[in-house]
Amino acid sequence: MLDIRGISKRFGTRTVLSDVSFTVRPGEVFGFVGSNGAGKTTTMRIVLGVLAADSGEVRWKDAPIDADVRRRIGYMPEERGLYPKMKVEDHLQYLARLHGLGPGEARSSTRHWTERLGIASRLGDEVQKLSLGNQQRVQLAAALVHDPEVLVLDEPFSGLDPTAVEVMSKVLRDKADGGIPTVFSSHQLDLVERLCDRIGIIADGRMVAVGTVEELRDRDHGVVLVVEGPPAGWADALPGVQVVAAAGTRTTVRLLGADDQQVLAAALAAGPVHEFRRHRPPLTEVYRDVVSAAAPERAR
Amino acid sequence: MSAPLSSVEAIRLVAKREFVTQVRSRSFVIGLIVTIVLFGVVGAISAFIAGQQSTSTLGVTPGASALAPALEATARTQDLTLEIRDVAEAAGRSALAADELDGLLVADPGGRYTLLGRDAVDERLAAVVGTAVRQTELTEALRAAGTDPDALEARSTVAEETLEPVDPDRGQRLALAIVGTVLLFISLSGYGQLVATGVVEEKQSRVVELLLATIKPWELLAGKIIGLGAVGLLNLVVLGGIAAIAGISFGLLTLPGAALGMFAMVLVWYLLGFFLFASLYAAIGSTVSRQEELNSVVAPMIFLLLIPFILTVNLLPGDPRNPLATVLSYIPFFSQTVMPARYALGTAELWEVGIAALLALVAIVVVVRLAGRVYRNSVLRTGARVSLREALGRAA
């Protein structure tokens, strides 16, 4: 289990991270979301030891993380970077060797991942000759080539075409299913929602929410029901219920103490019910609400 | 499955990459060829100039032909190969105009001599002719006054002796010193610059973050310096070897022992100088984010290398025991250039070289630590140039 405990970081007088904590369990894909400048990249850099935290610690398998463990992390930095003039094969083998693989393992692993990611035909080309999308695939191969025990990927999906997004999602899922804790950051919330087991939302250097998408939804929205059928007005006086929206024959209510059966009974009493369902707001909406709910707290 | 990687192994991998990438690059091969061609051209030009100056042809009119023995004797003492041609004045003038003669000595009936040149009078010729005429006139005057010119000559000569035997190979030693100094300057500035460029390349392409997630900054820095230093060493060995073979086969170099000694000295001082300067180059390179910004910040480094080079080629050839040069040959940042030149000239003992090398090693330890700190603090920071105060501060 990758355990980030109470990390704080200041750059000069500016606090970038304050008391950030979350855990990523084996076999879990953890989505790390937040606006630009919220602290995602800084957190990941601290996990990799590229930056030092002012306080707090990063633990792996119940021990503080050290250089040897870090070498077994697969990392994709936000600032993509490879030697432009190095050949793809030489480059990946070099990185594999730096991560401690022997020459033979480095060669076979390079073959394996370039095939898996669809760039095997470009092994002999200089990195700079590849399209941006393909360079991105090489970058992912660079994170995977040493068979890492943990994956930390900063914006792995940015700049990818839909096919590459599919390939990459599949790779991440497979890696996680193989028991590897995987954490990635992204602004593509639909993708995060689809791919992640749990998500963490960071705003202004603080973790404002951590949990499954379901948990976050319930925490901030409560249960919201959509009822289609009886004309508006039937729910206005119902106890334990807040009417969120009512237009024509569609009424949206939030449960504040009442249970869904009471609501259904009240609706049926008012007229025929054609649709009765739970409203599940997309992650985008949940994210927006979580972040704005945290704002006054931060302003204090 | 990945295994723990020792620092030695990490440095070896980085150094190997730097070495292979550099040696395979077109610029390395072209650079080597250009340097060899440059050496050849300089050699050919100096050989040509030396050949030009060796013989002077002087026309002498019948009135002045009595001076010929005195002219020949004087030319010998002044190291000038003189060919004397007896010509009539008119024929001599046209030969001079056609560049067949370097000068024409004319005697008028009054016994006065004139040395004619085409558009300028050859200085060396003028010196020989002037001395010969003066000598001849003086001898005649002395005879007329009843004094024996030979006895006067013997009494008025000052004998020259030295406490230590005169080094007959001084010229060759000087050439070795100059060639060694130039090679050192080219290698240190060229490969130092390459280290700075390499650091900025990693920073600009952002690959450095990926590398530093795996290995420590000092390992990356050490690997880079060792790898590029090895390329510079290879370059030096090739160039020095070619220079030595060419020197011996053209008969310019008859001191293979001294040449070998100097070669070894150049290699040792290259390494000492390289670690010193390359770590500075790396530290400076790490404070900027783009190649375009690099030139302005490394400019002071060129001066740091140029000053000892200029001092060496100006002070030592005329005065191998120059006290300023002797002092500077012990001081790090100067010693890598001055000390090998002093050694080549035979004015520095091995123990002196040893002390200077030891002082250089101490300087390397200090500079590498400081440079490592600057590098660690700057290499991940992009954007504005990192100030020296921030770079030298405690770890970020």
Side-chain angles (χ1 to χ4, degrees), chain B residues 75-161:
Chain B
R76 257 195 305 283
T77 61
Q78 295 195 4
D79 277 338
L80 182 76
T81 316
L82 187 66
E83 192 193 323
I84 295 176
R85 255 187 238 167
D86 291 314
V87 287
E89 186 174 340
R93 279 181 182 269
S94 50
L96 188 61
D99 256 348
E100 285 159 23
L101 292 177
D102 294 310
L104 177 66
L105 185 60
V106 181
D108 65 19
R112 296 174 64 89
Y113 298 102
T114 308
L115 180 61
L116 280 169
R118 188 180 162 203
D119 53 0
V121 176
D122 185 303
E123 272 179 43
R124 297 192 68 190
L125 213 49
V128 169
V129 171
T131 310
V133 168
R134 205 173 304 121
Q135 207 73 49
T136 311
E137 291 298 319
L138 200 60
T139 309
E140 273 169 27
L142 286 169
R143 286 227 172 83
T147 311
D148 178 6
D150 294 333
L152 182 68
E153 170 76 20
R155 279 205 307 277
S156 59
T157 303
V158 179
E160 291 177 357
E161 278 182 23

Side-chain angles (χ1 to χ4, degrees), chain A residues 34-97:
Chain A
S35 55
N36 294 323
K40 301 185 297 290
T41 296
T42 305
T43 305
M44 290 186 168
R45 284 180 161 180
I46 287 171
V47 171
L48 265 296
V50 172
L51 274 181
D54 296 336
S55 60
E57 65 172 348
V58 181
R59 296 171 70 88
W60 168 242
K61 289 184 177 166
D62 289 326
I65 205 161
D66 62 12
D68 274 332
V69 173
R70 286 195 171 110
R71 194 160 281 142
R72 300 200 296 272
I73 301 180
Y75 179 42
M76 190 160 171
E78 181 199 31
E79 307 271 21
R80 304 288 190 259
L82 298 164
Y83 288 107
K85 289 179 187 165
M86 218 168 165
K87 289 183 178 151
V88 172
E89 180 166 30
D90 293 346
H91 207 315
L92 291 175
Q93 285 186 18
Y94 174 59
L95 290 171
R97 295 297 307 278

Side-chain angles (χ1 to χ4, degrees), chain B residues 319-390:
Chain B
D319 181 9
R321 289 178 205 280
N322 182 289
L324 176 62
T326 307
V327 171
L328 290 181
S329 70
Y330 290 100
I331 298 176
F333 292 105
F334 288 93
S335 55
Q336 79 285 338
T337 313
V338 187
M339 187 52 99
R342 280 189 65 214
Y343 176 81
L345 291 171
T347 55
E349 299 292 332
L350 268 180
W351 65 264
E352 299 186 70
V353 179
I355 290 179
L358 215 61
L359 289 174
L361 278 174
V362 172
I364 286 172
V365 171
V366 175
V367 169
V368 165
R369 276 170 175 262
L370 283 180
R373 172 181 283 197
V374 171
Y375 180 79
R376 194 181 61 226
N377 285 343
S378 316
V379 77
L380 283 171
R381 298 180 52 173
T382 50
R385 200 185 148 195
V386 182
S387 77
L388 195 64
R389 205 166 60 89
E390 292 171 313

Side-chain angles (χ1 to χ4, degrees), chain B residues 65-388:
Chain B
S65 58
L67 279 175
L71 285 169
E72 275 165 0
T74 313
R76 257 195 305 283
T77 61
Q78 295 195 4
D79 277 338
L80 182 76
T81 316
L82 187 66
E83 192 193 323
I84 295 176
R85 255 187 238 167
D86 291 314
V87 287
E89 186 174 340
R93 279 181 182 269
S94 50
L96 188 61
D99 256 348
E100 285 159 23
L101 292 177
D102 294 310
L104 177 66
L105 185 60
V106 181
D108 65 19
R112 296 174 64 89
Y113 298 102
T114 308
L115 180 61
L116 280 169
R118 188 180 162 203
D119 53 0
V121 176
D122 185 303
E123 272 179 43
R124 297 192 68 190
L125 213 49
V128 169
V129 171
T131 310
V133 168
R134 205 173 304 121
Q135 207 73 49
T136 311
E137 291 298 319
L138 200 60
T139 309
E140 273 169 27
L142 286 169
R143 286 227 172 83
T147 311
D148 178 6
D150 294 333
L152 182 68
E153 170 76 20
R155 279 205 307 277
S156 59
T157 303
V158 179
E160 291 177 357
E161 278 182 23
T162 56
L163 285 176
E164 288 161 22
V166 174
D167 184 354
D169 304 317
R170 177 87 174 264
Q172 283 196 38
R173 289 189 184 280
L174 194 59
L176 282 177
I178 299 286
V179 170
T181 308
V182 171
L183 273 179
L184 274 170
F185 175 72
I186 293 175
S187 303
L188 290 178
S189 56
Y191 285 87
Q193 176 79 32
L194 216 52
V195 169
T197 313
V199 168
V200 178
E201 186 205 7
E202 277 168 4
K203 205 172 159 175
Q204 189 169 10
S205 72
R206 320 278 189 178
V207 72
V208 68
E209 184 166 348
L210 200 56
L211 300 176
L212 292 187
T214 314
I215 58 175
K216 298 187 185 76
W218 75 267
E219 293 168 343
L220 180 60
L221 184 61
K224 185 171 264 315
I225 288 177
I226 290 170
L228 290 176
V231 181
L233 197 65
L234 176 72
N235 191 48
L236 256 186
V237 169
V238 172
L239 285 183
I242 289 173
I245 291 167
I248 291 168
S249 48
F250 290 129
L252 295 171
L253 193 63
T254 55
L255 296 173
L260 208 64
M262 182 56 186
F263 194 31
M265 204 51 74
V266 166
L267 295 188
V268 167
W269 282 101
Y270 162 74
L271 289 179
L272 290 170
F274 185 76
F275 282 113
L276 205 54
F277 282 94
S279 33
L280 281 187
Y281 267 110
I284 291 171
S286 69
T287 62
V288 298
S289 303
R290 295 170 335 121
Q291 299 289 359
E292 293 83 345
E293 299 167 275
L294 185 59
N295 284 337
S296 59
V297 293
V298 297
M301 292 294 296
I302 299 289
F303 285 105
L304 206 53
L305 275 161
L306 207 54
I307 290 167
F309 174 73
I310 289 173
L311 286 175
T312 303
V313 295
N314 282 299
L315 291 180
L316 284 178
D319 181 9
R321 289 178 205 280
N322 182 289
L324 176 62
T326 307
V327 171
L328 290 181
S329 70
Y330 290 100
I331 298 176
F333 292 105
F334 288 93
S335 55
Q336 79 285 338
T337 313
V338 187
M339 187 52 99
R342 280 189 65 214
Y343 176 81
L345 291 171
T347 55
E349 299 292 332
L350 268 180
W351 65 264
E352 299 186 70
V353 179
I355 290 179
L358 215 61
L359 289 174
L361 278 174
V362 172
I364 286 172
V365 171
V366 175
V367 169
V368 165
R369 276 170 175 262
L370 283 180
R373 172 181 283 197
V374 171
Y375 180 79
R376 194 181 61 226
N377 285 343
S378 316
V379 77
L380 283 171
R381 298 180 52 173
T382 50
R385 200 185 148 195
V386 182
S387 77
L388 195 64

